[in-house]
Amino acid sequence: ILQFSNNFYMSVRPQVTKYYARNEIKEMNKLVFRSSKMTLYLMLILSLPVLIETHYILSLWLGQVPDYAVDFVRYMIVISIIESMGYPIITAVQATGKIAKYQIVQGTLTALNIPISYILLKYFDCQANIVFQVSFIITTMVAIARVIILSKLITFPVKEYFYQVFFKGLSVGMLAAILPFCIHRTLESNIFSLS
């Protein structure tokens, strides 16, 4: 699923850089908005069936599904969706050539995943899926930080981005999930319910 979104992102990347090099910031922002939304929608199209039928898919593949495996897969897919939405933002930051602050913030936040997860597992006796919950929160924080850092480097409408991409995009995703989820609840899981 993630490889598919990477292929789409690779086709957009040169154009974002070209717009910045020509100082066409408005056009670059439009492309960042559109490509972030398109990435989200493509990821949703590919991942919704897997998110809904995770247990069935894992039982086909593994036979007996291990504890937490369904949760792990679902968290990994959601984290991948959030990360892939940020690819155009990353490209826009890289196009400016001022990536030190971005790398420090992203690296620091991402590195917090291990110590926080360790503390929660060792001292608070949390369940194994806390590692993915921490990763989800940190990935979300990194996604927000990316947008804020980009807005400090160029004129970038942060509020509009969050509304257009995050709020509207995720609203579409939730609405799109209703019908497949209802079908999943009423039909028996089998190879035909995946399509």
Side-chain angles (χ1 to χ4, degrees):
I1 293 170
L2 193 55
Q3 185 62 43
F4 183 79
S5 79
N6 285 341
N7 291 340
F8 171 75
Y9 161 68
M10 294 306 263
S11 67
V12 172
R13 188 175 183 166
Q15 194 62 40
V16 171
T17 307
K18 191 183 294 185
Y19 279 138
Y20 181 80
R22 292 180 185 166
N23 202 27
E24 297 174 356
I25 304 300
K26 283 186 179 180
E27 287 76 13
M28 184 186 83
N29 288 346
K30 284 181 192 174
L31 183 58
V32 167
F33 273 59
R34 276 183 276 157
S35 56
S36 293
K37 281 196 276 189
M38 285 299 293
T39 302
L40 171 62
Y41 296 147
L42 288 171
M43 289 290 285
L44 286 172
I45 288 168
L46 294 172
S47 61
L48 267 177
V50 178
L51 286 169
I52 292 170
E53 294 287 350
T54 307
H55 190 274
Y56 178 70
I57 293 168
L58 289 176
S59 65
L60 280 176
W61 182 34
L62 301 172
Q64 187 175 0
V65 180
D67 294 340
Y68 303 113
V70 172
D71 289 342
F72 290 175
V73 170
R74 287 178 176 160
Y75 274 115
M76 287 171 55
I77 290 172
V78 170
I79 289 166
S80 296
I81 291 170
I82 294 168
E83 283 181 356
S84 66
M85 285 170 47
Y87 290 160
I89 297 289
I90 295 168
T91 301
V93 170
Q94 290 172 341
T96 67
K98 302 171 187 172
I99 60 168
K101 187 178 192 178
Y102 165 76
Q103 292 290 358
I104 290 168
V105 171
Q106 177 178 324
T108 304
L109 285 172
T110 304
L112 288 174
N113 201 350
I114 294 170
I116 291 171
S117 297
Y118 177 78
I119 290 166
L120 290 171
L121 288 169
K122 183 164 177 102
Y123 299 109
F124 292 94
D125 200 30
C126 294
Q127 295 180 343
N129 60 1
I130 193 70
V131 174
F132 286 96
Q133 292 169 0
V134 169
S135 183
F136 169 76
I137 292 167
I138 288 174
T139 301
T140 304
M141 289 169 58
V142 168
I144 293 167
R146 281 183 190 131
V147 177
I148 293 168
I149 290 168
L150 180 61
S151 73
K152 304 286 185 199
L153 298 174
I154 61 169
T155 306
F156 189 78
V158 175
K159 289 180 184 176
E160 187 181 346
Y161 180 84
F162 284 123
Y163 177 74
Q164 290 290 330
V165 177
F166 280 96
F167 179 72
K168 278 189 171 180
L170 295 176
S171 297
V172 167
M174 286 189 283
L175 287 172
I178 292 172
L179 182 61
F181 184 74
C182 290
I183 292 170
H184 167 74
R185 300 294 283 176
T186 55
L187 295 177
E188 183 181 335
S189 288
N190 57 41
I191 198 74
F192 299 109
S193 65
L194 282 173
S195 53

